[in-house]
Amino acid sequence: MRLAHRTLLVAAGALLLASPLLDAALRLAAAGRWAAAVAIAASAAAILAGAAPFAARRVSVWLAWLRGVAAGRESEPPEDLPEEFAAVATGIDSRAKAERERRRIEAERARLLEAVLERLPDGVLLVEPGLRVRFANRAFRELTDVSDPTGRPVTELVRDPDLRESLERVLREARPGMVRVAVPPGGERRFEVRIVPEGGRALAFFRDVTRLDRLEAMRRRFVADVSHELRTPLTAIRAYVETLLEEAGAGTAAYAETILRHARRMEGLIDDLTDLSRIETGAVPISPRLVDVERSVGAALEQVAPARREKDVEVRLRLPPGLAVRADPKRLEQILVNLLDNAIKFNRPGGRVEIGGRRRPGWVELWVEDTGVGIAPEDRERIFERFFQADSARSPERKGTGLGLAIVKHLMERHGGRVECRSTPGRGSRFLLEFPDPPREDR
């Protein structure tokens, strides 16, 4: 007989002998005959104690071998190993091998990812809730001249309140953010920091944009100078053409009208270029105060009324009573006019434009939604760039300058807000404006 079977038989026999004795001991105890109950229970315990060491020793040998299998140690199984234990061991061995392979692959991926991050020219920072550093790559360590920033507060490494605020917002709202910082504070090197949520943490990418900022400053100066130089001769051309129209006959009036129309279009382009250049450089003052949204919407609708009548576009308002935002009244109206002009220009005849708003925790949202042709997904990321037009064929009779949405974006940033576009080709677009919500006592 195999040792395993003998072990099981010994244990079973001991249980069969001890069970009646234990039952009798319980009955005697219930009857109050404690001395007899204790004596019989002691006899049952002696029977079990005699069999237990033998069975326990064998079971402990089997369990020790199973633990070795689970840990990946290869050894010959005991000769008396029951078939049930062998089956369990096979399953454990398969799972253990699969788990070791999974861990090996994960470790290899982690090493590869760390190697890639270490070689990136941009600084990479992983921040925990509480703004403590979990990981920093070589570029960031060199940028801050700190050999091991792990566990330290970000505010000790980059002392910039805008960066702190952006990181806290991303951690709180789980939405991407972007901010520009100087490292060290007040220094010449400028960094664009893109922050994305990552598993309850914030992942920040520091890109050096110092050279790009210098080139951008040169571009802005060039645009401002060209706009100024073009405005003078264009004003003269328009004045002369208007004079000619007063005296022109039927044959030449059409030509003069064409010249005047294009001169006005050029003036609009120069106005937009000048405005955008001044907004980008901070030359346009922003004087925020509490503004009634419905009143600003009404003023903007008056400016686009001729285009709305021409396209026969219906306007619907969905504004809660008394909704207000903290903004510069003139610039808020400019934002709304640019969005409404696009919503009408790229709408279908007889289409609809909806202007809505609501308050949510921390923000006031306004939106302009149309039933136009919509914007393709590949174009939505670029529509806020200067001169970019999603599709010049959308409205060939009414092309714009491609600067309106760039102006909207920069004005929203000057207000501490943001703008985003949601669109479905063939169904329309919605432009969402988000303004920081004023304190309750200021509403």
Side-chain angles (χ1 to χ4, degrees):
M1 181 182 297
R2 291 186 61 189
L3 184 58
H5 294 166
R6 194 171 68 215
T7 301
L8 294 176
L9 286 174
V10 169
L15 286 173
L16 287 173
L17 290 173
S19 292
L21 294 175
L22 289 173
D23 289 340
L26 289 173
R27 286 195 298 271
L28 290 170
R33 300 173 62 185
W34 294 103
V38 169
I40 294 175
S43 300
I47 294 172
L48 291 172
F54 177 77
R57 282 195 300 272
R58 298 314 305 162
V59 172
S60 63
V61 170
W62 303 337
L63 291 176
W65 181 76
L66 281 178
R67 285 194 294 270
V69 171
R73 297 191 297 269
E74 295 186 3
S75 61
E76 290 293 327
E79 293 183 359
D80 61 337
L81 185 72
E83 293 181 0
E84 293 80 3
F85 271 70
V88 170
T90 301
I92 290 176
D93 186 50
S94 300
R95 287 193 295 272
K97 287 180 178 178
E99 178 64 16
R100 288 196 296 273
E101 180 64 14
R102 185 186 66 79
R103 291 180 179 178
R104 186 193 67 78
I105 293 174
E106 286 186 354
E108 183 64 25
R109 286 176 178 172
R111 284 193 295 270
L112 179 61
L113 178 59
E114 185 174 355
V116 171
L117 292 176
E118 282 293 297
R119 286 162 176 76
L120 282 178
D122 295 345
V124 180
L125 192 65
L126 184 62
V127 180
E128 298 273 8
L131 299 186
R132 291 193 175 272
V133 176
R134 175 67 180 270
F135 168 82
N137 74 338
R138 175 182 53 80
F140 183 86
R141 297 194 300 271
E142 292 177 354
L143 171 65
T144 55
D145 197 23
V146 176
S147 59
D148 185 13
T150 304
R152 294 181 58 177
V154 175
T155 50
E156 290 184 3
L157 307 171
V158 182
R159 301 180 184 274
D160 190 292
D162 291 338
L163 177 62
R164 177 193 180 103
E165 182 181 343
S166 295
L167 285 169
E168 288 176 340
R169 185 186 304 120
V170 170
L171 288 168
R172 182 175 61 251
E173 301 179 5
R175 294 178 55 177
M178 188 179 73
V179 66
R180 287 194 171 222
V181 300
V183 182
E188 294 185 356
R189 292 186 69 185
R190 301 285 299 176
F191 290 83
E192 180 182 83
V193 186
R194 294 183 179 272
I195 310 170
V196 296
E198 177 59 41
R201 306 183 182 98
L203 190 61
F205 299 88
F206 289 71
R207 183 187 179 199
D208 193 335
V209 293
T210 307
R211 183 171 178 274
L212 290 177
D213 280 357
R214 290 171 182 163
L215 293 173
E216 180 65 14
M218 293 174 59
R219 182 199 63 78
R220 290 172 183 169
R221 287 195 297 270
F222 173 76
V223 169
D225 293 342
V226 169
S227 299
H228 176 74
E229 294 300 325
L230 284 176
R231 190 181 298 278
T232 301
L234 197 59
T235 302
I237 291 172
R238 179 176 174 178
Y240 280 117
V241 171
E242 289 174 346
T243 302
L244 284 174
L245 276 173
E246 296 175 359
E247 305 173 357
T252 58
Y255 298 115
E257 286 284 358
T258 301
I259 296 173
L260 183 60
R261 185 171 64 253
H262 284 284
R264 287 172 176 166
R265 184 169 179 269
M266 283 293 295
E267 279 187 331
L269 174 60
I270 291 171
D271 287 343
D272 283 348
L273 278 172
T274 304
D275 213 9
L276 179 58
S277 179
R278 294 179 66 238
I279 292 169
E280 290 175 331
T281 57
V284 172
I286 300 293
S287 303
R289 61 182 178 84
L290 211 57
V291 181
D292 182 76
V293 173
E294 189 170 356
R295 183 176 299 176
S296 294
V297 169
L301 285 173
E302 286 182 8
Q303 294 193 46
V304 298
R308 181 168 65 87
R309 286 192 295 268
E310 181 183 337
K311 266 290 187 65
D312 189 27
V313 171
E314 177 191 1
V315 174
R316 297 180 182 178
L317 299 184
R318 290 183 57 192
L319 297 170
L323 183 65
V325 294
R326 181 168 290 281
D328 185 299
K330 181 180 178 181
R331 297 306 168 183
L332 175 59
E333 185 176 324
Q334 184 178 8
I335 290 169
L336 292 171
V337 166
N338 282 342
L339 292 181
L340 286 170
D341 184 63
N342 279 349
I344 294 169
K345 183 187 303 180
F346 299 117
N347 216 322
R348 54 181 173 80
R352 187 180 69 254
V353 171
E354 178 183 285
I355 307 167
R358 66 167 184 160
R359 175 172 279 110
R360 65 177 178 83
W363 299 91
V364 174
E365 293 183 349
L366 305 178
W367 63 83
V368 175
E369 184 173 337
D370 63 64
T371 55
V373 295
I375 302 169
E378 62 270 17
D379 291 335
R380 285 201 290 270
E381 294 296 322
R382 300 191 57 197
I383 57 174
F384 296 103
E385 297 177 8
R386 307 171 196 87
F387 301 110
F388 181 80
Q389 297 191 20
D391 184 357
S392 59
R394 291 192 304 168
S395 182
E397 73 280 1
R398 297 203 62 191
K399 292 182 181 179
T401 63
L403 294 172
L405 291 179
I407 291 173
V408 169
K409 176 188 175 185
H410 283 86
L411 284 176
M412 288 301 298
E413 289 175 351
R414 289 291 306 277
H415 282 84
R418 52 197 177 220
V419 57
E420 65 178 57
C421 172
R422 301 170 185 174
S423 183
T424 302
R427 298 183 60 182
S429 304
R430 169 185 278 209
F431 285 86
L432 180 67
L433 306 171
E434 295 181 310
F435 292 86
D437 193 17
R440 183 176 296 275
E441 60 270 16
D442 293 342
R443 293 176 189 167

